[in-house]
């Protein structure tokens, strides 16, 4: 069996892979590992996205938390970054988010934040996993008054809205915005914040019913948003994902502006304002080649990490940088919050637009996007890390790398959250790279299935 924790917590189909038994065990082991040094009775804040399975898993998780003598505060539907912030604000011992982000609604996930609002290190996650596999051996569960309590605080989502508006107090009067909330956790907080800042807001996909999260909407399905922005003659379209920790945008012409471009827009503005620490942005190896070119042309140093916003964050913290993120729209503004935050990213982009009085299409043109093809190869989850052990696959990758050397690049990586291997090729000819990516992905699936 592979590692229980992926790049973004424990994830799987709710009720099948992510069972209530596992949720209870994660509550027990997580609460115990994260709070055992404390001399007081510890408390964890729990939030979830809008999936139908959220309540089921939250209750199982909180039962586990209370069984080891810790208290739980259930805050209901909240964006992932809101849980990170509220964990810090209320000085509790840890935070937990129940969400599968951009995945289809039948999936769900559980991820932890420590008391400072940061995602856990691999070492801490491994410790939690080891305790579960060891059946909480040598842990004495309390009884009587030693058992934890659950407090329900659905009102604290407004504290997050207030905090975000304070981080970027931009006046959006006269700004026409279409916001796609993905039938997810952004449906309340993003709408409230943008309206209170004065935007003329057209919110779409803000009627979550538990089963429609990410369904043909949000940052993974942007066709409707593109058309709506043009139809409404809006200044910008904002696309959130299910747990609202990432943002993609649409410019006034209906073109998608991805995470790389949004970071380029914000980083250049920050550099001009003298707020870009060490004139550096942290990206991942999946970022478009055009980002590095943009950096060179604008005096911005670019550093790369492996894929996963947690690795971007670790690098930022270690080196004192204040902006970084992923092409997928996870953007971290470390001066404001401790994790990717879609609403915060939106306000930073809107601030650049209002201050410079430039359209988003004009701002985004600072970065040229090199043609890129990304194709997913479906493989068994337990095999995805071992693709290079297949001689035919290794040889095909080697040949492709030779072919595109100097005029592009080839990047193959297993997904951290799904049973997929991602094949990404960059080069000069879109048709050619798409054909090659399809061919290699087909070969990987054929051999590994």
């Amino acid at each position: 069996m592979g590692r229980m924790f992926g790049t973004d917590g424990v994830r799987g189909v709710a009720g099948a892979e992510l069972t209530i038994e596992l949720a209870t065990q994660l509550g027990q082991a997580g609460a115990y590992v994260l709070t055992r040094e404390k001399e007081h009775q510890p408390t964890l804040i729990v939030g979830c996205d809008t999936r139908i399975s959220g309540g089921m898993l939250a209750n199982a998780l909180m039962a586990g938390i209370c069984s080891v003598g810790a208290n739980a505060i259930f805050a209901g539907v909240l964006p992932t970054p809101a849980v990170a912030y509220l964990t810090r604000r209320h000085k509790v011992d840890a935070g937990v988010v129940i969400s599968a982000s951009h995945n289809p609604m039948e999936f769900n996930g559980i991820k932890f934040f420590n008391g400072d609002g940061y995602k856990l290190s691999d070492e801490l996650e491994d410790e939690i996993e080891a305790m579960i596999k060891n059946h909480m051996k040598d842990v004495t569960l309390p009884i009587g008054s030693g058992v934890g309590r659950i407090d329900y605080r659905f009102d604290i989502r407004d504290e997050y809205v207030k905090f975000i508006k304070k981080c970027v107090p931009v006046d959006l009067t006269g700004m026409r915005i279409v916001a796609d909330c993905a039938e997810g956790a952004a449906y309340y907080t993003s709408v409230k914040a943008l309206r209170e800042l004065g935007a003329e807001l057209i919110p779409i996909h803000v009627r979550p019913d538990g089963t429609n999260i990410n369904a043909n909407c949000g940052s993974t399905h942007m066709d409707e948003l593109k058309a709506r922005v043009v139809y409404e003659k809006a200044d910008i379209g904002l696309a959130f994902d299910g747990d609202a920790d990432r943002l993609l945008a649409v410019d006034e012409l209906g073109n998608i502006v991805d995470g790389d471009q949004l970071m380029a827009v914000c980083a250049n503005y920050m550099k001009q304002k003298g707020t870009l620490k060490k004139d550096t942005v942290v990206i991942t190896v999946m970022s478009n080649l055009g980002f590095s070119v943009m950096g060179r042309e604008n005096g911005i140093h670019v550093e790369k990490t492996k894929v996963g916003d947690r690795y971007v964050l670790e690098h930022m913290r270690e080196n004192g940088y204040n902006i970084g993120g992923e092409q997928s729209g996870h953007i971290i503004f470390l001066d404001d919050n401790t994790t990717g935050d879609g609403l915060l990213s939106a306000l930073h982009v809107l601030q650049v637009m209002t201050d410079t009085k430039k359209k988003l299409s004009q701002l985004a043109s600072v970065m040229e996007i090199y043609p890129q093809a990304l194709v997913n190869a479906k493989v068994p989850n337990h095999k995805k890390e071992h693709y290079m052990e297949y001689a035919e696959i290794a040889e095909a990758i080697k040949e492709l790398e030779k072919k595109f050397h100097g005029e592009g690049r080839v990047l193959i990586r297993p997904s951290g959250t799904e049973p997929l291997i991602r094949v990404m090729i960059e080069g000069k000819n879109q048709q050619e790279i798409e054909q090659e990516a399809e061919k290699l992905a087909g070969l990987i699936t054929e051999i590994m299935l």
Side-chain angles (χ1 to χ4, degrees), residues 43-63 65-66 71-78 83 86 92 94 96-99 149-157:
T43 300
L44 291 82
I45 282 182
V46 179
C48 61
D49 67 21
T50 56
R51 287 163 214 270
I52 196 168
S53 59
M56 171 181 84
L57 293 170
N59 281 289
L61 177 102
M62 291 190 293
I65 289 170
C66 293
N71 296 321
I73 296 173
F74 186 51
V77 173
L78 274 181
V83 175
L86 291 166
V92 296
V96 195
V97 180
I98 298 168
S99 171
R149 299 173 186 272
I150 299 175
D151 189 16
Y152 295 87
R153 290 288 311 276
F154 302 131
D155 58 304
I156 58 176
R157 61 186 182 174

Side-chain angles (χ1 to χ4, degrees), residues 176-339:
R176 193 166 168 82
I177 299 169
V178 182
D180 183 346
C181 296
E183 309 291 5
Y187 86 96
Y188 174 85
T189 47
S190 291
V191 170
K192 184 176 171 71
L194 291 164
R195 279 197 169 135
E196 287 183 354
L197 288 166
E200 185 186 339
L201 189 69
I202 300 147
I204 61 175
H205 297 292
V206 287
R207 297 179 185 276
D209 65 9
T211 65
N212 58 2
I213 187 170
N214 299 320
N216 297 314
C217 59
S219 60
T220 47
H221 303 89
M222 294 180 63
D223 286 347
E224 183 185 343
L225 180 62
K226 286 160 64 178
R228 192 70 183 267
V229 166
V230 173
Y231 173 77
E232 298 284 357
K233 295 184 172 58
D235 298 294
I236 187 174
L238 305 172
F240 300 100
D241 64 337
D243 67 333
D245 66 349
R246 64 186 196 174
L247 172 82
L248 296 180
V250 171
D251 69 19
E252 76 287 353
L253 304 172
N255 301 310
I256 290 177
V257 183
D258 69 14
D260 285 342
Q261 294 168 286
L262 294 173
M263 280 191 287
V265 167
C266 292
N268 274 287
Y269 176 78
M270 290 163 72
K271 186 172 190 294
Q272 288 159 20
K273 292 285 180 183
T275 58
L276 182 64
K277 288 182 181 169
K278 302 184 181 179
D279 286 343
T280 297
V281 182
V282 182
I283 59 174
T284 77
V285 292
M286 286 292 278
S287 277
N288 192 278
L289 275 173
F291 194 94
S292 297
V293 174
M294 178 281 303
R296 280 199 301 274
E297 289 173 350
N298 292 277
I300 293 172
H301 182 57
V302 176
E303 296 193 6
K304 293 181 183 177
T305 72
K306 61 182 178 178
V307 175
D309 61 318
R310 60 186 300 170
Y311 304 115
V312 171
L313 177 61
E314 280 171 16
H315 194 74
M316 290 171 69
R317 291 181 71 196
E318 282 166 14
N319 297 282
Y321 306 137
N322 62 344
I323 181 173
E326 299 185 286
Q327 185 184 55
S328 60
H330 281 119
I331 305 174
I332 301 164
F333 291 90
L334 201 46
D335 292 336
D336 300 321
N337 208 350
T338 53
T339 188

Side-chain angles (χ1 to χ4, degrees), residues 97-111:
V97 180
I98 298 168
S99 171
S101 185
H102 61 284
N103 290 154
M105 79 91 179
E106 64 269 22
F107 286 81
N108 218 324
I110 294 174
K111 55 188 166 188

Side-chain angles (χ1 to χ4, degrees), residues 135-146:
H135 304 293
M136 299 289 289
K137 194 171 173 240
D138 302 327
V139 176
T140 304
L141 299 180
I143 58 171
S145 60

